[in-house]
Amino acid sequence: IETEITAQLTNDFRISAGYTYTDASFKEVSPAGAATGVSPGDVLPGTPESSGNLMGAYSRELNNGWWLDINGSLTYSDDRLSAIGNDDVLLSSYTLVNASFSLSNENWSATLFVDNLTDEDARLTALSDVTWGPLAPSVARRPRTIGVRATYSF
């Protein structure tokens, strides 16, 4: 089940929200899959049961021909398995907060942004400590990142 709603609250301010519920599991398993420990009914890896997002955007033309844009977002992902069978690892839920502030005109754009504002340790995938030991590799979202982006179009 997936739903999304967007509302233009004023000429300058818009919000949107989305939610997804997923109940995904294996109906059948091949002999090769069964050998790895996968069984019918096992949850599909990498798929959170619940996830959602909330976004707000403010955009306004200033008196001098420049535009001001302020954006914020919140993203949530439920616990999920990173793999299937004998190497499955439960990845914790996470909530990410991002924000940006931009000024732009016909040619120039400058943006100050903060990604992962709360410095959440959000793991996207990981391999089992049982198989790989204490140095099991994993992939994480970037830690808190603050930056400035400037562009010129001609």
Side-chain angles (χ1 to χ4, degrees), residues 52-57 70-76 94-101 111-120 122 141-146 149:
N53 62 73
L54 178 64
M55 189 273 302
I70 301 171
N71 296 290
S73 66
L74 180 106
T75 304
Y76 171 77
Y94 62 85
T95 302
L96 296 177
V97 180
N98 299 317
S100 68
F101 172 86
T111 303
L112 171 65
F113 65 89
V114 181
D115 291 339
N116 195 359
L117 181 69
T118 59
D119 202 23
E120 181 89 12
R141 292 218 183 253
R142 290 188 312 186
R144 180 184 306 120
T145 304
I146 301 170
R149 188 173 30 251

Side-chain angles (χ1 to χ4, degrees), residues 60-67:
R60 181 181 182 117
E61 186 173 14
L62 305 176
N63 293 332
N64 57 8
W66 286 75
W67 281 87

Side-chain angles (χ1 to χ4, degrees), residues 24-98:
S25 60
F26 290 96
K27 290 177 86 176
E28 296 178 22
V29 178
S30 71
T36 64
V38 179
S39 302
D42 284 356
V43 175
L44 188 66
T47 308
E49 186 175 76
S50 292
S51 62
N53 62 73
L54 178 64
M55 189 273 302
Y58 177 83
S59 183
R60 181 181 182 117
E61 186 173 14
L62 305 176
N63 293 332
N64 57 8
W66 286 75
W67 281 87
L68 167 67
D69 293 290
I70 301 171
N71 296 290
S73 66
L74 180 106
T75 304
Y76 171 77
S77 180
D78 217 352
D79 294 347
R80 69 234 168 271
L81 292 175
S82 70
I84 55 175
N86 300 326
D87 276 345
D88 60 352
V89 175
L90 183 64
L91 300 169
S92 298
S93 63
Y94 62 85
T95 302
L96 296 177
V97 180
N98 299 317

Side-chain angles (χ1 to χ4, degrees), residues 3-50:
T3 184
E4 184 175 334
I5 186 167
T6 300
Q8 187 76 37
L9 299 179
T10 69
N11 286 337
D12 303 328
F13 185 61
R14 171 177 44 91
I15 62 169
S16 65
Y19 174 76
T20 301
Y21 173 79
T22 306
D23 183 11
S25 60
F26 290 96
K27 290 177 86 176
E28 296 178 22
V29 178
S30 71
T36 64
V38 179
S39 302
D42 284 356
V43 175
L44 188 66
T47 308
E49 186 175 76
S50 292

